[in-house]
Amino acid sequence: MRDPLLDFRFLLTFLAWRYGSEEFDTQTVAKDLKTLLYGVIDDPKLEERLRPKLISNDLRRLYTMGFLRRRKVDRECVNKHGKRYNCGYKYMYRINNQGWKYLKILLKNAKSEDDLLQFLKKTMKEAIQEARIARLGFEKLMALELFENGRILDAKQILENVNEDIDRRFRGKGYRRFQTNRLLFEERVRCWMIIAELQRELVALREELEAKERQLRELKRELKRYQKE
């Protein structure tokens, strides 16, 4: 299952705060996000979420929303002998006019850099929390599949771990006052189960479509050969 995207408002605000009107690429953004957030949020999955591959998806999302512009440039790599060569391309992004207009609306209450940093920290904590909920939903889906495949003990162990995580969240004094909150939390976990299943089905359908397209191209090539003969 793909991790949930960073909240686009958080990411756009971070880009404005860190780069202003300058260009940036995926690798730079991933590195700078780690530098900002390490020590601010204590979560072992943070490094996994901030991988360049996932940050690339986030930047592409902002681009399709119309908040960034981009240009394609050659990507330079270095081999083991120290020789530099082109190894494909990458995108260089920059916040466009529409992005700045949206930021003015979004940050009208941020009067200083400290206010902006606090906004970034708060929004990132919310994004990490949503990632935790998504993980619980995915693990519940895994447990269901293991049970259906006859791996009862493995399914039971995963469910015990999920329930322990949820119990830990609602443990302590006043526990009974939070029954409604717990039910809502578990419903969000269940929704992530559904999303995980739908995402997997989507991937399978895409792979099936690609296979059929390859088969169709091969049939067209064979047809052309027969026509020439």
Side-chain angles (χ1 to χ4, degrees):
M1 174 185 173
R2 187 177 65 178
D3 291 311
L5 295 174
L6 286 175
D7 181 274
F8 76 91
R9 292 160 297 186
F10 162 78
L11 185 56
L12 184 61
T13 306
F14 171 80
L15 296 174
W17 173 71
R18 179 64 181 85
Y19 309 110
S21 59
E22 297 178 357
E23 286 188 320
F24 46 85
D25 62 11
T26 296
Q27 294 284 346
T28 302
V29 174
K31 178 181 177 181
D32 289 345
L33 275 170
K34 290 180 182 179
T35 301
L36 170 70
L37 297 170
Y38 277 171
V40 175
I41 300 173
D42 182 18
D43 192 297
K45 293 186 176 294
L46 179 60
E47 184 173 2
E48 176 69 14
R49 177 59 187 89
L50 297 180
R51 286 186 298 134
K53 181 178 179 181
L54 297 180
I55 297 301
S56 177
N57 293 337
D58 298 328
L59 293 178
R60 184 168 60 250
R61 182 189 184 201
L62 284 178
Y63 171 75
T64 57
M65 293 174 72
F67 295 143
L68 303 179
R69 64 172 179 265
R70 70 184 185 187
R71 63 187 181 94
K72 186 186 294 187
V73 299
D74 292 334
R75 186 174 63 203
E76 191 176 70
C77 298
V78 181
N79 63 21
K80 61 181 180 181
H81 303 295
K83 184 178 179 180
R84 296 182 179 276
Y85 62 98
N86 289 334
C87 54
Y89 65 88
K90 66 179 180 179
Y91 287 112
M92 297 299 298
Y93 291 90
R94 189 194 303 267
I95 300 175
N96 62 17
N97 289 335
Q98 183 175 336
W100 286 115
K101 288 178 182 178
Y102 183 79
L103 280 165
K104 287 181 181 178
I105 298 173
L106 184 65
L107 302 176
K108 59 183 179 181
N109 295 322
K111 297 181 175 59
S112 68
E113 187 172 295
D114 288 339
D115 290 339
L116 182 54
L117 183 58
Q118 290 303 316
F119 172 82
L120 293 172
K121 292 177 181 179
K122 178 178 180 295
T123 310
M124 188 59 189
K125 288 180 180 179
E126 293 172 353
I128 292 296
Q129 175 60 23
E130 196 63 26
R132 289 172 176 165
I133 298 172
R135 176 182 60 81
L136 294 176
F138 181 57
E139 290 179 354
K140 274 198 169 186
L141 181 62
M142 288 177 56
L144 177 61
E145 292 179 347
L146 290 172
F147 179 81
E148 292 174 346
N149 292 329
R151 297 173 59 181
I152 310 300
L153 293 179
D154 291 336
K156 182 180 178 181
Q157 183 61 55
I158 290 178
L159 282 178
E160 286 178 353
N161 292 338
V162 170
N163 291 333
E164 173 61 24
D165 283 347
I166 296 176
D167 287 341
R168 191 181 302 114
R169 176 183 175 87
F170 296 98
R171 187 179 295 154
K173 294 182 179 180
Y175 176 85
R176 293 185 179 276
R177 295 204 309 267
F178 301 111
Q179 285 299 309
T180 301
N181 289 347
R182 181 186 178 113
L183 291 174
L184 292 173
F185 186 87
E186 290 179 334
E187 181 62 20
R188 289 172 68 191
V189 172
R190 191 184 71 82
C191 288
W192 273 109
M193 287 178 63
I194 297 172
I195 292 173
E197 178 62 23
L198 292 175
Q199 286 177 333
R200 185 164 51 192
E201 290 179 5
L202 179 60
V203 170
L205 288 172
R206 284 175 177 171
E207 291 175 349
E208 183 180 350
L209 178 60
E210 290 173 358
K212 290 185 180 299
E213 288 177 343
R214 288 193 298 268
Q215 184 180 13
L216 179 60
R217 288 194 296 268
E218 182 61 30
L219 291 172
K220 286 182 178 180
R221 284 194 291 266
E222 291 183 4
L223 178 60
K224 288 181 179 181
R225 286 198 297 267
Y226 287 131
Q227 289 174 342
K228 290 180 180 180
E229 294 175 357

